Amino acid sequence: MVSSNSNCRSITILFMATMLLCVGACQREPEPPEQVSAEAPPPKTEANDKPLILVAGVTGRQGSALAKKLVELGYPVRGSTRNPDSEKAKTMADLGIEVVKVDFRDTASLAAATEGIYGLFFYTPNSSEEVTMGQNVTDAAKASGVEHVIYTTSLSADPDNGYPIGQPKRSIELYLRDSGLGYTILRPVQFMENFDGRQSTYTNGGMSGPEEPTHLGQYISVRDIAFFAAEAFANPQEWIGKELNIAGDEMTQSNVAELFSRLLGVQVDYKQISWEQAARRMSPRLIEIFKWYESSGFKVDVQSLRNDYPNLMTLEQYLNETGWSSWGSSTE
């Protein structure tokens, strides 16, 4: 293996920090909202016995995964994107999805997109306007009479153990909860997809970070986020009002390095660096988030979740499916 160098180590640290930027924050404990009744069956479309679902952000990783899953299950799907002429949007349209142009900052486009739908799935981008966008989506759903809204946030928005400093996704959760809409909140951990294309980085530079080698990281594939969202739409009586922290696998930093070594056929070591070293490469805010992430103890009960849903993907399965075990031979 090529020896580790500071540049590769820096890239690895910044990448790991980026994966953590999705953290939300606990701002206040909400009062239980009035729930929309889930006893009545969803309305049916003329061409299908399943209701029309709007997947907002249909060209993103979460949105495209759910749209494909819903089409597979026979749902009529409307998908929104800011650029309906993109190649990703055209790919969605080729699946029979009605692709419409929507900007979360444009309330008129949201009103048009939510007209006549039963369910809405959305997530919000990290942005200075994130709270406003999330509120706009919620308001449009309420005005259009949407019966079931699914919002994906992040594990650290959990009211029981969320990040203690104000953060947008937590605010949007509260706004949705107080809206009176029938809602489901899913809080995923870091995505397995964040490892895509990083074989060379780990082969040449190893893994490094300020966390202890025994620090337990948790992971989920967007395929499984789509699975949970589809389950919620199919079973509203069980899922409306439910908030669930979701993960498919968990491994220590050392065990992840061992997994990389086995799949890539080279020795990948995990090296813990000091917080002082990390601070030279990260902003004070990132260091604060990193320290909280390691010490807070917030976790998904992965084993319990896998007992209920044994189909959830492990990290090793994901890496094998995305070509990690054959990567070395493909680069020769």
Side-chain angles (χ1 to χ4, degrees), residues 15-63:
F15 169 73
M16 294 169 69
T18 299
M19 289 194 294
L20 298 176
L21 276 175
C22 64
V23 294
C26 179
Q27 295 179 341
R28 63 180 173 84
E29 290 300 323
E31 296 180 357
E34 295 183 3
Q35 294 299 321
V36 175
S37 173
E39 295 180 0
K44 300 177 181 180
T45 64
E46 293 182 1
N48 202 307
D49 64 351
K50 296 184 186 300
L52 177 62
I53 306 294
L54 170 63
V55 177
V58 74
T59 57
R61 289 187 296 189
Q62 295 184 66

mmCIF file of all heavy atoms in Angstrom, residues 15-63:
data_model
loop_
_atom_site.group_PDB
_atom_site.id
_atom_site.type_symbol
_atom_site.label_atom_id
_atom_site.label_comp_id
_atom_site.label_asym_id
_atom_site.label_seq_id
_atom_site.Cartn_x
_atom_site.Cartn_y
_atom_site.Cartn_z
ATOM 1 N N PHE A 15 -14.137 14.805 4.256
ATOM 2 C CA PHE A 15 -15.252 13.976 3.777
ATOM 3 C C PHE A 15 -16.097 13.483 4.931
ATOM 4 O O PHE A 15 -17.315 13.551 4.917
ATOM 5 C CB PHE A 15 -14.693 12.791 2.994
ATOM 6 C CG PHE A 15 -15.731 11.743 2.687
ATOM 7 C CD1 PHE A 15 -16.705 11.971 1.728
ATOM 8 C CD2 PHE A 15 -15.753 10.552 3.377
ATOM 9 C CE1 PHE A 15 -17.656 11.032 1.455
ATOM 10 C CE2 PHE A 15 -16.704 9.611 3.105
ATOM 11 C CZ PHE A 15 -17.643 9.845 2.155
ATOM 12 N N MET A 16 -15.391 12.995 5.996
ATOM 13 C CA MET A 16 -16.133 12.485 7.151
ATOM 14 C C MET A 16 -16.903 13.619 7.816
ATOM 15 O O MET A 16 -18.034 13.449 8.258
ATOM 16 C CB MET A 16 -15.160 11.848 8.151
ATOM 17 C CG MET A 16 -14.484 10.591 7.615
ATOM 18 S SD MET A 16 -13.133 10.042 8.665
ATOM 19 C CE MET A 16 -14.044 9.515 10.087
ATOM 20 N N ALA A 17 -16.291 14.809 7.838
ATOM 21 C CA ALA A 17 -16.986 15.941 8.445
ATOM 22 C C ALA A 17 -18.215 16.314 7.650
ATOM 23 O O ALA A 17 -19.255 16.652 8.200
ATOM 24 C CB ALA A 17 -16.039 17.136 8.548
ATOM 25 N N THR A 18 -18.085 16.252 6.317
ATOM 26 C CA THR A 18 -19.219 16.582 5.447
ATOM 27 C C THR A 18 -20.389 15.661 5.710
ATOM 28 O O THR A 18 -21.538 16.074 5.712
ATOM 29 C CB THR A 18 -18.794 16.486 3.972
ATOM 30 O OG1 THR A 18 -17.747 17.415 3.753
ATOM 31 C CG2 THR A 18 -19.970 16.839 3.063
ATOM 32 N N MET A 19 -20.081 14.355 5.955
ATOM 33 C CA MET A 19 -21.155 13.402 6.220
ATOM 34 C C MET A 19 -21.903 13.764 7.495
ATOM 35 O O MET A 19 -23.063 13.417 7.660
ATOM 36 C CB MET A 19 -20.584 11.977 6.353
ATOM 37 C CG MET A 19 -20.091 11.386 5.042
ATOM 38 S SD MET A 19 -19.803 9.609 5.141
ATOM 39 C CE MET A 19 -18.453 9.536 6.290
ATOM 40 N N LEU A 20 -21.221 14.487 8.407
ATOM 41 C CA LEU A 20 -21.856 14.812 9.667
ATOM 42 C C LEU A 20 -22.623 16.128 9.631
ATOM 43 O O LEU A 20 -23.338 16.471 10.555
ATOM 44 C CB LEU A 20 -20.772 14.902 10.765
ATOM 45 C CG LEU A 20 -20.013 13.605 11.021
ATOM 46 C CD1 LEU A 20 -18.913 13.836 12.033
ATOM 47 C CD2 LEU A 20 -20.959 12.536 11.507
ATOM 48 N N LEU A 21 -22.452 16.897 8.524
ATOM 49 C CA LEU A 21 -23.056 18.226 8.481
ATOM 50 C C LEU A 21 -24.570 18.187 8.446
ATOM 51 O O LEU A 21 -25.220 19.217 8.568
ATOM 52 C CB LEU A 21 -22.535 18.996 7.270
ATOM 53 C CG LEU A 21 -21.206 19.706 7.496
ATOM 54 C CD1 LEU A 21 -20.738 20.337 6.205
ATOM 55 C CD2 LEU A 21 -21.330 20.759 8.575
ATOM 56 N N CYS A 22 -25.118 16.980 8.194
ATOM 57 C CA CYS A 22 -26.575 16.896 8.113
ATOM 58 C C CYS A 22 -27.229 16.908 9.488
ATOM 59 O O CYS A 22 -28.441 16.786 9.592
ATOM 60 C CB CYS A 22 -26.976 15.620 7.352
ATOM 61 S SG CYS A 22 -26.497 14.119 8.204
ATOM 62 N N VAL A 23 -26.434 17.056 10.563
ATOM 63 C CA VAL A 23 -27.022 16.971 11.885
ATOM 64 C C VAL A 23 -28.045 18.062 12.128
ATOM 65 O O VAL A 23 -27.913 19.194 11.691
ATOM 66 C CB VAL A 23 -25.942 17.018 12.989
ATOM 67 C CG1 VAL A 23 -25.065 15.795 12.933
ATOM 68 C CG2 VAL A 23 -25.100 18.265 12.882
ATOM 69 N N GLY A 24 -29.133 17.735 12.837
ATOM 70 C CA GLY A 24 -30.144 18.703 13.218
ATOM 71 C C GLY A 24 -30.002 19.070 14.679
ATOM 72 O O GLY A 24 -29.008 18.747 15.295
ATOM 73 N N ALA A 25 -31.020 19.714 15.242
ATOM 74 C CA ALA A 25 -30.869 20.154 16.613
ATOM 75 C C ALA A 25 -32.188 20.172 17.342
ATOM 76 O O ALA A 25 -33.227 20.463 16.777
ATOM 77 C CB ALA A 25 -30.271 21.552 16.641
ATOM 78 N N CYS A 26 -32.145 19.856 18.631
ATOM 79 C CA CYS A 26 -33.323 19.907 19.483
ATOM 80 C C CYS A 26 -33.512 21.336 19.972
ATOM 81 O O CYS A 26 -32.647 21.876 20.633
ATOM 82 C CB CYS A 26 -33.143 18.962 20.660
ATOM 83 S SG CYS A 26 -34.503 18.964 21.799
ATOM 84 N N GLN A 27 -34.652 21.936 19.652
ATOM 85 C CA GLN A 27 -34.879 23.317 20.073
ATOM 86 C C GLN A 27 -35.876 23.396 21.217
ATOM 87 O O GLN A 27 -35.746 24.218 22.095
ATOM 88 C CB GLN A 27 -35.385 24.149 18.896
ATOM 89 C CG GLN A 27 -34.342 24.259 17.789
ATOM 90 C CD GLN A 27 -34.850 25.055 16.622
ATOM 91 O OE1 GLN A 27 -36.044 25.225 16.459
ATOM 92 N NE2 GLN A 27 -33.957 25.535 15.789
ATOM 93 N N ARG A 28 -36.910 22.576 21.167
ATOM 94 C CA ARG A 28 -37.877 22.571 22.259
ATOM 95 C C ARG A 28 -38.668 21.286 22.171
ATOM 96 O O ARG A 28 -38.745 20.646 21.127
ATOM 97 C CB ARG A 28 -38.814 23.777 22.155
ATOM 98 C CG ARG A 28 -39.679 23.789 20.906
ATOM 99 C CD ARG A 28 -40.573 25.017 20.906
ATOM 100 N NE ARG A 28 -41.305 25.167 19.680
ATOM 101 C CZ ARG A 28 -42.449 24.558 19.410
ATOM 102 N NH1 ARG A 28 -42.994 23.740 20.276
ATOM 103 N NH2 ARG A 28 -43.063 24.751 18.241
ATOM 104 N N GLU A 29 -39.241 20.894 23.258
ATOM 105 C CA GLU A 29 -40.064 19.704 23.260
ATOM 106 C C GLU A 29 -41.444 20.035 22.741
ATOM 107 O O GLU A 29 -42.128 20.935 23.275
ATOM 108 C CB GLU A 29 -40.172 19.143 24.687
ATOM 109 C CG GLU A 29 -38.881 18.542 25.188
ATOM 110 C CD GLU A 29 -38.411 17.403 24.322
ATOM 111 O OE1 GLU A 29 -39.262 16.637 23.834
ATOM 112 O OE2 GLU A 29 -37.216 17.282 24.107
ATOM 113 N N PRO A 30 -41.907 19.387 21.666
ATOM 114 C CA PRO A 30 -43.222 19.704 21.106
ATOM 115 C C PRO A 30 -44.357 19.098 21.903
ATOM 116 O O PRO A 30 -44.189 18.072 22.561
ATOM 117 C CB PRO A 30 -43.157 19.059 19.718
ATOM 118 C CG PRO A 30 -42.263 17.883 19.919
ATOM 119 C CD PRO A 30 -41.226 18.333 20.931
ATOM 120 N N GLU A 31 -45.497 19.741 21.841
ATOM 121 C CA GLU A 31 -46.696 19.134 22.375
ATOM 122 C C GLU A 31 -47.281 18.207 21.327
ATOM 123 O O GLU A 31 -47.180 18.471 20.136
ATOM 124 C CB GLU A 31 -47.716 20.219 22.737
ATOM 125 C CG GLU A 31 -47.237 21.150 23.843
ATOM 126 C CD GLU A 31 -48.270 22.196 24.174
ATOM 127 O OE1 GLU A 31 -49.324 22.198 23.487
ATOM 128 O OE2 GLU A 31 -48.049 22.986 25.095
ATOM 129 N N PRO A 32 -47.900 17.111 21.741
ATOM 130 C CA PRO A 32 -48.480 16.197 20.747
ATOM 131 C C PRO A 32 -49.515 16.919 19.903
ATOM 132 O O PRO A 32 -50.397 17.613 20.423
ATOM 133 C CB PRO A 32 -49.139 15.112 21.617
ATOM 134 C CG PRO A 32 -48.418 15.195 22.933
ATOM 135 C CD PRO A 32 -48.066 16.651 23.121
ATOM 136 N N PRO A 33 -49.412 16.810 18.564
ATOM 137 C CA PRO A 33 -50.360 17.505 17.689
ATOM 138 C C PRO A 33 -51.648 16.730 17.534
ATOM 139 O O PRO A 33 -51.734 15.557 17.868
ATOM 140 C CB PRO A 33 -49.608 17.529 16.351
ATOM 141 C CG PRO A 33 -48.823 16.263 16.387
ATOM 142 C CD PRO A 33 -48.418 16.063 17.828
ATOM 143 N N GLU A 34 -52.652 17.414 17.020
ATOM 144 C CA GLU A 34 -53.858 16.709 16.635
ATOM 145 C C GLU A 34 -53.562 15.894 15.399
ATOM 146 O O GLU A 34 -53.021 16.406 14.417
ATOM 147 C CB GLU A 34 -54.984 17.710 16.331
ATOM 148 C CG GLU A 34 -55.424 18.498 17.544
ATOM 149 C CD GLU A 34 -56.567 19.411 17.204
ATOM 150 O OE1 GLU A 34 -57.032 19.374 16.055
ATOM 151 O OE2 GLU A 34 -57.005 20.165 18.081
ATOM 152 N N GLN A 35 -53.879 14.623 15.424
ATOM 153 C CA GLN A 35 -53.541 13.744 14.317
ATOM 154 C C GLN A 35 -54.666 13.644 13.295
ATOM 155 O O GLN A 35 -55.848 13.614 13.658
ATOM 156 C CB GLN A 35 -53.218 12.330 14.822
ATOM 157 C CG GLN A 35 -51.957 12.269 15.670
ATOM 158 C CD GLN A 35 -50.751 12.706 14.868
ATOM 159 O OE1 GLN A 35 -50.632 12.392 13.693
ATOM 160 N NE2 GLN A 35 -49.850 13.432 15.491
ATOM 161 N N VAL A 36 -54.280 13.610 12.037
ATOM 162 C CA VAL A 36 -55.238 13.378 10.969
ATOM 163 C C VAL A 36 -55.616 11.906 10.980
ATOM 164 O O VAL A 36 -54.745 11.041 11.098
ATOM 165 C CB VAL A 36 -54.626 13.751 9.602
ATOM 166 C CG1 VAL A 36 -55.588 13.386 8.480
ATOM 167 C CG2 VAL A 36 -54.311 15.235 9.562
ATOM 168 N N SER A 37 -56.870 11.605 10.901
ATOM 169 C CA SER A 37 -57.300 10.215 10.934
ATOM 170 C C SER A 37 -56.733 9.420 9.780
ATOM 171 O O SER A 37 -56.716 9.876 8.648
ATOM 172 C CB SER A 37 -58.835 10.138 10.881
ATOM 173 O OG SER A 37 -59.254 8.794 10.748
ATOM 174 N N ALA A 38 -56.211 8.230 10.109
ATOM 175 C CA ALA A 38 -55.666 7.359 9.066
ATOM 176 C C ALA A 38 -56.568 6.154 8.838
ATOM 177 O O ALA A 38 -56.167 5.185 8.219
ATOM 178 C CB ALA A 38 -54.265 6.893 9.462
ATOM 179 N N GLU A 39 -57.793 6.201 9.363
ATOM 180 C CA GLU A 39 -58.669 5.044 9.242
ATOM 181 C C GLU A 39 -59.250 4.929 7.840
ATOM 182 O O GLU A 39 -59.430 3.834 7.324
ATOM 183 C CB GLU A 39 -59.802 5.157 10.272
ATOM 184 C CG GLU A 39 -59.288 5.085 11.716
ATOM 185 C CD GLU A 39 -60.417 5.207 12.704
ATOM 186 O OE1 GLU A 39 -61.586 5.356 12.251
ATOM 187 O OE2 GLU A 39 -60.172 5.142 13.908
ATOM 188 N N ALA A 40 -59.559 6.050 7.216
ATOM 189 C CA ALA A 40 -60.140 6.000 5.872
ATOM 190 C C ALA A 40 -59.060 5.617 4.868
ATOM 191 O O ALA A 40 -57.922 6.066 4.982
ATOM 192 C CB ALA A 40 -60.724 7.354 5.509
ATOM 193 N N PRO A 41 -59.386 4.786 3.887
ATOM 194 C CA PRO A 41 -58.383 4.411 2.888
ATOM 195 C C PRO A 41 -58.003 5.583 2.012
ATOM 196 O O PRO A 41 -58.807 6.500 1.807
ATOM 197 C CB PRO A 41 -59.101 3.323 2.070
ATOM 198 C CG PRO A 41 -60.549 3.616 2.244
ATOM 199 C CD PRO A 41 -60.688 4.162 3.644
ATOM 200 N N PRO A 42 -56.763 5.613 1.504
ATOM 201 C CA PRO A 42 -56.335 6.703 0.623
ATOM 202 C C PRO A 42 -57.188 6.759 -0.636
ATOM 203 O O PRO A 42 -57.708 5.745 -1.102
ATOM 204 C CB PRO A 42 -54.889 6.316 0.281
ATOM 205 C CG PRO A 42 -54.473 5.340 1.335
ATOM 206 C CD PRO A 42 -55.720 4.618 1.715
ATOM 207 N N PRO A 43 -57.339 7.957 -1.199
ATOM 208 C CA PRO A 43 -58.103 8.065 -2.447
ATOM 209 C C PRO A 43 -57.392 7.364 -3.591
ATOM 210 O O PRO A 43 -56.169 7.288 -3.622
ATOM 211 C CB PRO A 43 -58.150 9.585 -2.680
ATOM 212 C CG PRO A 43 -56.967 10.113 -1.941
ATOM 213 C CD PRO A 43 -56.821 9.244 -0.748
ATOM 214 N N LYS A 44 -58.160 6.867 -4.533
ATOM 215 C CA LYS A 44 -57.581 6.149 -5.668
ATOM 216 C C LYS A 44 -57.591 7.022 -6.913
ATOM 217 O O LYS A 44 -58.438 7.892 -7.065
ATOM 218 C CB LYS A 44 -58.380 4.867 -5.934
ATOM 219 C CG LYS A 44 -58.397 3.895 -4.755
ATOM 220 C CD LYS A 44 -59.258 2.684 -5.057
ATOM 221 C CE LYS A 44 -59.302 1.720 -3.879
ATOM 222 N NZ LYS A 44 -60.138 0.537 -4.162
ATOM 223 N N THR A 45 -56.639 6.781 -7.779
ATOM 224 C CA THR A 45 -56.629 7.466 -9.059
ATOM 225 C C THR A 45 -57.469 6.659 -10.039
ATOM 226 O O THR A 45 -57.773 5.486 -9.804
ATOM 227 C CB THR A 45 -55.195 7.595 -9.599
ATOM 228 O OG1 THR A 45 -54.687 6.289 -9.852
ATOM 229 C CG2 THR A 45 -54.295 8.297 -8.605
ATOM 230 N N GLU A 46 -57.842 7.292 -11.160
ATOM 231 C CA GLU A 46 -58.665 6.595 -12.142
ATOM 232 C C GLU A 46 -57.921 5.426 -12.769
ATOM 233 O O GLU A 46 -58.505 4.390 -13.074
ATOM 234 C CB GLU A 46 -59.100 7.585 -13.230
ATOM 235 C CG GLU A 46 -60.047 8.671 -12.726
ATOM 236 C CD GLU A 46 -60.473 9.587 -13.844
ATOM 237 O OE1 GLU A 46 -60.047 9.350 -14.997
ATOM 238 O OE2 GLU A 46 -61.236 10.532 -13.591
ATOM 239 N N ALA A 47 -56.614 5.596 -12.981
ATOM 240 C CA ALA A 47 -55.864 4.572 -13.716
ATOM 241 C C ALA A 47 -55.227 3.543 -12.806
ATOM 242 O O ALA A 47 -54.610 2.608 -13.274
ATOM 243 C CB ALA A 47 -54.775 5.248 -14.557
ATOM 244 N N ASN A 48 -55.371 3.698 -11.496
ATOM 245 C CA ASN A 48 -54.649 2.822 -10.598
ATOM 246 C C ASN A 48 -55.418 2.713 -9.297
ATOM 247 O O ASN A 48 -56.145 3.624 -8.914
ATOM 248 C CB ASN A 48 -53.236 3.393 -10.351
ATOM 249 C CG ASN A 48 -52.270 2.330 -9.888
ATOM 250 O OD1 ASN A 48 -52.533 1.620 -8.933
ATOM 251 N ND2 ASN A 48 -51.147 2.235 -10.585
ATOM 252 N N ASP A 49 -55.232 1.591 -8.586
ATOM 253 C CA ASP A 49 -55.897 1.459 -7.301
ATOM 254 C C ASP A 49 -55.040 2.002 -6.169
ATOM 255 O O ASP A 49 -55.385 1.863 -5.000
ATOM 256 C CB ASP A 49 -56.276 0.000 -7.040
ATOM 257 C CG ASP A 49 -55.060 -0.907 -6.933
ATOM 258 O OD1 ASP A 49 -53.930 -0.442 -7.225
ATOM 259 O OD2 ASP A 49 -55.236 -2.072 -6.542
ATOM 260 N N LYS A 50 -53.907 2.619 -6.489
ATOM 261 C CA LYS A 50 -53.050 3.234 -5.484
ATOM 262 C C LYS A 50 -53.072 4.754 -5.656
ATOM 263 O O LYS A 50 -53.259 5.260 -6.754
ATOM 264 C CB LYS A 50 -51.620 2.707 -5.601
ATOM 265 C CG LYS A 50 -51.493 1.208 -5.312
ATOM 266 C CD LYS A 50 -50.047 0.763 -5.356
ATOM 267 C CE LYS A 50 -49.906 -0.738 -5.206
ATOM 268 N NZ LYS A 50 -50.454 -1.253 -3.949
ATOM 269 N N PRO A 51 -52.889 5.493 -4.557
ATOM 270 C CA PRO A 51 -53.011 6.957 -4.619
ATOM 271 C C PRO A 51 -51.780 7.621 -5.231
ATOM 272 O O PRO A 51 -50.680 7.069 -5.255
ATOM 273 C CB PRO A 51 -53.168 7.343 -3.146
ATOM 274 C CG PRO A 51 -52.396 6.284 -2.415
ATOM 275 C CD PRO A 51 -52.641 5.015 -3.183
ATOM 276 N N LEU A 52 -51.974 8.844 -5.691
ATOM 277 C CA LEU A 52 -50.913 9.613 -6.310
ATOM 278 C C LEU A 52 -49.975 10.180 -5.242
ATOM 279 O O LEU A 52 -50.411 10.815 -4.287
ATOM 280 C CB LEU A 52 -51.513 10.754 -7.141
ATOM 281 C CG LEU A 52 -50.537 11.720 -7.817
ATOM 282 C CD1 LEU A 52 -49.657 10.987 -8.835
ATOM 283 C CD2 LEU A 52 -51.311 12.854 -8.496
ATOM 284 N N ILE A 53 -48.675 9.955 -5.423
ATOM 285 C CA ILE A 53 -47.660 10.426 -4.490
ATOM 286 C C ILE A 53 -46.766 11.444 -5.187
ATOM 287 O O ILE A 53 -46.315 11.214 -6.314
ATOM 288 C CB ILE A 53 -46.785 9.259 -3.974
ATOM 289 C CG1 ILE A 53 -47.637 8.137 -3.372
ATOM 290 C CG2 ILE A 53 -45.745 9.771 -2.980
ATOM 291 C CD1 ILE A 53 -48.376 8.518 -2.118
ATOM 292 N N LEU A 54 -46.488 12.545 -4.501
ATOM 293 C CA LEU A 54 -45.508 13.518 -4.985
ATOM 294 C C LEU A 54 -44.185 13.271 -4.270
ATOM 295 O O LEU A 54 -44.125 13.309 -3.034
ATOM 296 C CB LEU A 54 -45.977 14.950 -4.713
ATOM 297 C CG LEU A 54 -44.943 16.060 -4.955
ATOM 298 C CD1 LEU A 54 -44.519 16.112 -6.420
ATOM 299 C CD2 LEU A 54 -45.475 17.417 -4.502
ATOM 300 N N VAL A 55 -43.142 13.003 -5.041
ATOM 301 C CA VAL A 55 -41.795 12.866 -4.497
ATOM 302 C C VAL A 55 -41.044 14.147 -4.829
ATOM 303 O O VAL A 55 -40.681 14.392 -5.984
ATOM 304 C CB VAL A 55 -41.070 11.642 -5.081
ATOM 305 C CG1 VAL A 55 -39.629 11.570 -4.555
ATOM 306 C CG2 VAL A 55 -41.828 10.357 -4.741
ATOM 307 N N ALA A 56 -40.837 14.996 -3.838
ATOM 308 C CA ALA A 56 -40.119 16.252 -4.051
ATOM 309 C C ALA A 56 -38.620 15.979 -4.042
ATOM 310 O O ALA A 56 -38.119 15.242 -3.196
ATOM 311 C CB ALA A 56 -40.491 17.261 -2.971
ATOM 312 N N GLY A 57 -37.912 16.578 -4.990
ATOM 313 C CA GLY A 57 -36.484 16.280 -5.122
ATOM 314 C C GLY A 57 -36.268 14.933 -5.778
ATOM 315 O O GLY A 57 -35.434 14.137 -5.356
ATOM 316 N N VAL A 58 -37.013 14.681 -6.846
ATOM 317 C CA VAL A 58 -37.034 13.348 -7.450
ATOM 318 C C VAL A 58 -35.716 12.979 -8.125
ATOM 319 O O VAL A 58 -35.466 11.797 -8.389
ATOM 320 C CB VAL A 58 -38.209 13.238 -8.454
ATOM 321 C CG1 VAL A 58 -37.902 14.020 -9.742
ATOM 322 C CG2 VAL A 58 -38.550 11.783 -8.765
ATOM 323 N N THR A 59 -34.854 13.951 -8.418
ATOM 324 C CA THR A 59 -33.568 13.630 -9.047
ATOM 325 C C THR A 59 -32.450 13.461 -8.029
ATOM 326 O O THR A 59 -31.325 13.131 -8.391
ATOM 327 C CB THR A 59 -33.157 14.716 -10.058
ATOM 328 O OG1 THR A 59 -33.095 15.983 -9.388
ATOM 329 C CG2 THR A 59 -34.152 14.797 -11.197
ATOM 330 N N GLY A 60 -32.735 13.693 -6.743
ATOM 331 C CA GLY A 60 -31.735 13.483 -5.701
ATOM 332 C C GLY A 60 -31.633 12.020 -5.322
ATOM 333 O O GLY A 60 -32.404 11.174 -5.793
ATOM 334 N N ARG A 61 -30.686 11.709 -4.457
ATOM 335 C CA ARG A 61 -30.463 10.307 -4.091
ATOM 336 C C ARG A 61 -31.671 9.703 -3.390
ATOM 337 O O ARG A 61 -32.119 8.610 -3.738
ATOM 338 C CB ARG A 61 -29.212 10.185 -3.205
ATOM 339 C CG ARG A 61 -27.924 10.428 -3.953
ATOM 340 C CD ARG A 61 -26.692 10.134 -3.117
ATOM 341 N NE ARG A 61 -26.574 11.010 -1.964
ATOM 342 C CZ ARG A 61 -25.488 11.061 -1.182
ATOM 343 N NH1 ARG A 61 -24.457 10.271 -1.423
ATOM 344 N NH2 ARG A 61 -25.442 11.881 -0.154
ATOM 345 N N GLN A 62 -32.202 10.390 -2.390
ATOM 346 C CA GLN A 62 -33.363 9.862 -1.676
ATOM 347 C C GLN A 62 -34.602 9.847 -2.573
ATOM 348 O O GLN A 62 -35.347 8.858 -2.607
ATOM 349 C CB GLN A 62 -33.646 10.694 -0.433
ATOM 350 C CG GLN A 62 -32.573 10.649 0.631
ATOM 351 C CD GLN A 62 -32.994 11.434 1.861
ATOM 352 O OE1 GLN A 62 -33.935 11.070 2.563
ATOM 353 N NE2 GLN A 62 -32.307 12.546 2.117
ATOM 354 N N GLY A 63 -34.827 10.960 -3.268
ATOM 355 C CA GLY A 63 -36.023 11.069 -4.089
ATOM 356 C C GLY A 63 -36.069 10.064 -5.220
ATOM 357 O O GLY A 63 -37.110 9.439 -5.465
#
